[in-house]
Amino acid sequence: MAATVLPFEKPVVELVTRVRELRVLAETDPHFEPELKRLEDRAAKLARELFAELTPWQKVQLSRHPNRPYTLDYVEALFEEWQELHGDRRFADDAAIVCGMARFRGRSVVVVGHQKGRTTKEKAARNFGQANPEGNRKANRMYELADKFRLPILTFIDTPGAYPGIGAEERGQSEAIGACLAAMARAQVPIVATIIGEGGSGGALALGVANRVNVLEYGTYSVISPEGCASILWKDGSKGDEAALRMRMTSPDLLALKVVDNVIEEPVGGAHQDPAEAARLVGDAIAAALADLEGLSPEALADDRYRRFRSLGAFS
Amino acid sequence: MSGWPIRKQAGLDAHEKKSIGKGVFRKCNGCGETISAERMADNFEVCPLCGRHHKLASARWRDLLLDDGHLEEWSAELSPTDPLEFTDGRTYTERIATAQKSAKSKDAIEIGRAALEGTPIAYGAFLFAFMGGSMGSVVGEKITRLFEKATEERLPVVLLQASGGARMQEGILSLMQMAKTVSALERLRAARLPFFSVMLDPTTGGVAASFAFLGDVNIAEPDALIGFAGPRVIETTIRQKLPPGFQRSEFLLAHGMVDRIVSRLSMRREIAQLARQLSGLPALPAPAAGDAVVPPSVSVPP
């Protein structure tokens, strides 16, 4: 995979790359240890400073970073006995959403996640992570499977949104999403959602009606893409930066609005600079959320979710 | 979100403008015939010549559907706040104030208890005139209360939807209303109470992709725009023109997404029948010959 470096992350990427190189050297020659330690500290400090200044729009760019770990990267790092289950048993298998059974730290779980592609070919095959109705119906089927066998549901959210196309409308995109929300609301099992990249609109929410919602530090969650918001409000899709600022879609805002329960701090320079460490942090956050829900009865789990969403909104 | 294009009338004085604005005559959007505004209003904005359904204000919907046109309103006092301190040139607070003034409502929905041909129901109706019927926190909360109260009081729910979708000015909190309302709807379902989802023009975005398609019976008005994504978004995405009739009620019926297309003028009877059948209530008396199913001033088009 060719590494993409966004202009604003360049200084951090350079430092992180040097740290990585030194780490390899230090393994064979302890002589490099002090230099490694010094650089690691500097990289962390610089990244913190630089990334503290990131605009919401730059964070949107990070959430969409082509090198960012995707659902299947987390699946590989976090689960054992992963077996993908395909298809919605109605129309097709939508590769924009991957589903399957696995073990998470010994426990059987059902996994549902959006999946983007790396290569041009895979991007097209996975439709840039934008599900058609059949993708959402596959997810729905998994929620029902999990509920039937009382297994926790772990979702990974990373989509610009559900696909807006002719076929999607013909096959009932609205109904497919609505049915997902309903199935998640009903399920009497623990549901933990993690926003690993882009949380775009209804397509994201179809995997988002969870007891606990985590977001990675540079993940986003919004009702519409910033470009879409700009094109509606100002008839100018290029004003995404302005819209990203107004919509309060980055992790600190989401936490303040109580839309997410937990922000998972990312490794220096972002999850894509150290995917293994990112996966470890995500795994720990999921484990903590599951532990938090441990001991709740099936009915109590559904009630917990009901209360969580019932309280969201602002009015007088 | 849409708005009527405002065409400037040149060379009219204030008085003339006012009398035209009041509209003695209306041009039908369907057949293009000029019809007296009074006749159109008497017919609940359905063209007496071609049957085209034009938008109908919520007060007139009450007259059309509810016994004595009466709604015992719930939570009418709920008013939006500005949690994001959102501005797009104008602040959201200003937009709310303007909308509240012109729509004479705190937000884009009314809910309450009513009766439909003698059958008690929980009723909700979107006000499209209020910011395009968009769903923010107030709309989400009121729909949630509608489902909760109906569950508690064991009432069937009739919900008329006319909405462009989520309200952008409330950002992610608007999206959360989709989850909140559907969660409440699931409790209504668990209590085995019917939900009649009535889709008016338009029903799109976050309203379509949450409760709208989860009705026990999904009813659409003729020729309503119904869909997940707006036509403009789809055209931009696929870079081609959409076929005529795309995302209209008839298209949805053909694709199996709505159960019935029902004229506004027979909706009262149709929903009442279904509500009574699903609730195990005895049949309504058959309308006697010559008895109007719809209010007497209404002429049903051919």
Side-chain angles (χ1 to χ4, degrees):
Chain A
M1 165 184 46
T4 305
V5 179
L6 304 173
F8 63 84
E9 58 169 356
K10 213 171 159 207
V12 174
V13 171
E14 278 167 2
L15 266 179
V16 168
T17 310
R18 280 194 51 203
V19 169
R20 208 176 288 143
E21 287 162 1
L22 264 179
R23 206 174 279 155
V24 175
L25 286 175
E27 271 168 24
T28 52
D29 187 347
H31 175 73
F32 287 100
E33 288 274 4
E35 168 74 357
L36 174 66
K37 183 84 188 76
R38 201 180 57 77
L39 257 184
E40 268 181 341
D41 290 348
R42 218 182 112 205
K45 188 161 170 283
L46 183 67
R48 250 197 314 278
E49 282 167 11
L50 270 173
F51 278 35
E53 309 271 287
L54 290 184
T55 65
W57 181 239
Q58 287 171 326
K59 290 183 185 175
V60 168
Q61 303 309 310
L62 278 181
S63 77
R64 300 170 177 172
H65 201 294
N67 300 131
R68 217 173 152 75
Y70 295 153
T71 293
L72 286 175
D73 300 308
Y74 288 106
V75 164
E76 200 186 318
L78 293 177
F79 302 121
E80 300 92 50
E81 296 185 3
W82 161 254
Q83 283 171 291
E84 187 171 352
L85 302 176
H86 294 271
D88 70 341
R89 298 199 186 157
R90 298 283 185 278
F91 181 76
D93 182 37
D94 186 347
I97 288 184
V98 292
C99 303
M101 301 279 317
R103 279 188 188 274
F104 175 66
R105 303 188 178 179
R107 186 173 183 181
S108 309
V109 295
V110 168
V111 180
V112 177
H114 299 104
Q115 181 64 34
K116 296 177 175 177
R118 297 274 177 211
T119 63
T120 307
K121 205 176 147 191
E122 200 201 349
K123 279 178 185 163
R126 299 205 180 271
N127 201 23
F128 303 89
Q130 303 166 97
N132 272 289
E134 43 279 15
N136 288 315
R137 292 198 173 107
K138 175 165 66 172
N140 192 342
R141 185 162 85 81
M142 294 300 143
Y143 302 148
E144 284 171 359
L145 176 80
D147 195 28
K148 180 173 175 184
F149 293 99
R150 298 253 192 258
L151 299 174
I153 300 167
L154 306 182
T155 70
F156 295 88
I157 295 172
D158 190 14
T159 180
Y163 189 63
I166 291 183
E169 296 289 336
E170 288 174 336
R171 300 192 295 278
Q173 185 71 284
S174 303
E175 190 275 343
I177 294 173
C180 276
L181 308 186
M184 291 188 101
R186 271 195 307 269
Q188 298 188 330
V189 299
I191 307 181
V192 179
T194 306
I195 303 163
I196 57 172
E198 280 182 280
S201 194
L205 191 63
L207 275 64
V209 189
N211 296 81
R212 297 290 182 274
V213 181
N214 296 312
V215 65
L216 277 171
E217 190 176 358
Y218 304 117
T220 58
Y221 202 5
S222 62
V223 68
I224 184 173
S225 72
E227 293 91 336
C229 177
S231 81
I232 292 174
L233 290 182
W234 304 297
K235 310 271 174 279
D236 183 356
S238 70
K239 287 189 178 160
D241 51 348
E242 176 83 12
L245 177 72
R246 303 274 177 235
M247 287 205 294
R248 297 185 56 188
M249 58 192 287
T250 63
S251 60
D253 284 324
L254 298 170
L255 191 65
L257 293 165
K258 298 191 164 77
V259 168
V260 303
D261 305 287
N262 176 40
V263 176
I264 304 171
E265 209 177 297
E266 296 194 23
V268 177
H272 54 298
Q273 295 302 341
D274 194 346
E277 175 66 2
R280 193 185 64 76
L281 294 166
V282 166
D284 287 351
I286 292 172
L290 285 175
D292 204 26
L293 298 166
E294 197 68 58
L296 290 184
S297 70
E299 294 75 19
L301 284 164
D303 286 347
D304 171 81
R305 209 174 308 118
Y306 192 85
R307 275 194 306 275
R308 187 190 183 282
F309 285 91
R310 183 71 185 81
S311 67
L312 292 176
F315 50 84
S316 62
Chain B
M1 252 165 261
S2 69
W4 297 106
I6 298 158
R7 203 173 296 150
K8 285 220 175 90
Q9 301 267 357
L12 295 177
D13 66 29
H15 174 73
E16 282 172 314
K17 270 187 193 168
K18 205 174 167 195
S19 67
I20 284 176
K22 273 200 166 173
V24 180
F25 289 99
R26 290 270 316 275
K27 196 174 171 186
C28 170
N29 292 342
C31 60
E33 290 294 322
T34 304
I35 292 146
S36 91
E38 199 186 345
R39 198 172 163 209
M40 199 73 113
D42 284 348
N43 212 39
F44 294 91
E45 304 299 324
V46 176
C47 175
L49 302 176
C50 74
R52 164 66 69 116
H53 286 48
H54 302 90
K55 285 196 173 62
L56 185 66
S58 58
R60 294 289 288 151
W61 269 110
R62 272 182 255 136
D63 292 339
L64 177 65
L65 289 185
L66 307 181
D67 294 358
D68 306 320
H70 179 68
L71 177 70
E72 181 197 323
E73 227 185 314
W74 295 329
S75 308
E77 73 288 352
L78 290 193
S79 189
T81 58
D82 182 10
L84 268 50
E85 295 171 355
F86 195 93
T87 178
D88 55 31
R90 279 177 76 202
T91 66
Y92 179 40
T93 310
E94 282 168 359
R95 284 190 191 280
I96 293 167
T98 310
Q100 286 182 337
K101 215 171 197 178
S102 68
K104 294 188 180 60
S105 173
K106 298 273 191 201
D107 209 309
I109 195 168
E110 59 182 22
I111 58 164
R113 189 187 293 103
L116 187 69
E117 302 280 6
T119 315
I121 59 164
Y123 171 89
F126 277 75
L127 276 58
F128 188 75
F130 193 108
M131 296 185 77
S134 56
M135 176 162 72
S137 299
V138 170
V139 171
E141 176 68 21
K142 285 174 84 171
I143 290 173
T144 303
R145 289 186 187 185
L146 176 73
F147 290 138
E148 284 178 341
K149 197 113 174 174
T151 307
E152 211 174 285
E153 300 191 8
R154 299 210 56 83
L155 297 170
V157 174
V158 177
L159 179 58
L160 310 185
Q161 291 133 151
S163 170
R167 186 171 298 168
M168 258 183 310
Q169 291 85 350
E170 290 186 29
I172 190 70
L173 288 179
S174 297
L175 191 75
M176 294 300 112
Q177 304 311 308
M178 296 168 64
K180 173 167 151 176
T181 51
V182 170
S183 298
L185 173 56
E186 282 308 295
R187 295 196 157 185
L188 184 86
R189 178 188 306 279
R192 298 182 184 276
L193 293 161
F195 169 40
F196 298 97
S197 172
V198 182
M199 302 182 219
L200 311 178
D201 183 46
T203 301
T204 58
V207 168
S210 51
F211 41 82
F213 280 93
L214 302 183
D216 292 295
V217 182
N218 293 340
I219 293 169
E221 270 204 319
D223 201 38
L225 177 76
I226 302 168
F228 172 63
R232 211 163 48 115
V233 174
I234 300 174
E235 281 185 343
T236 316
T237 307
I238 63 172
R239 296 194 189 86
Q240 64 188 67
K241 279 264 163 228
L242 296 170
F246 181 69
Q247 293 183 312
R248 294 286 162 184
S249 305
E250 296 70 17
F251 169 95
L252 276 101
L253 187 75
H255 285 92
M257 293 300 150
V258 297
D259 301 334
R260 286 182 73 72
I261 296 176
V262 176
S263 164
R264 186 180 293 166
L265 303 177
S266 39
M267 207 165 286
R268 179 182 185 141
R269 175 87 193 182
E270 286 228 3
I271 298 175
Q273 279 176 184
L274 290 168
R276 296 180 75 86
Q277 285 168 1
L278 288 177
S279 310
L281 293 169
L284 289 169
D291 215 18
V293 169
V294 286
S297 62
V298 165
S299 46
V300 181

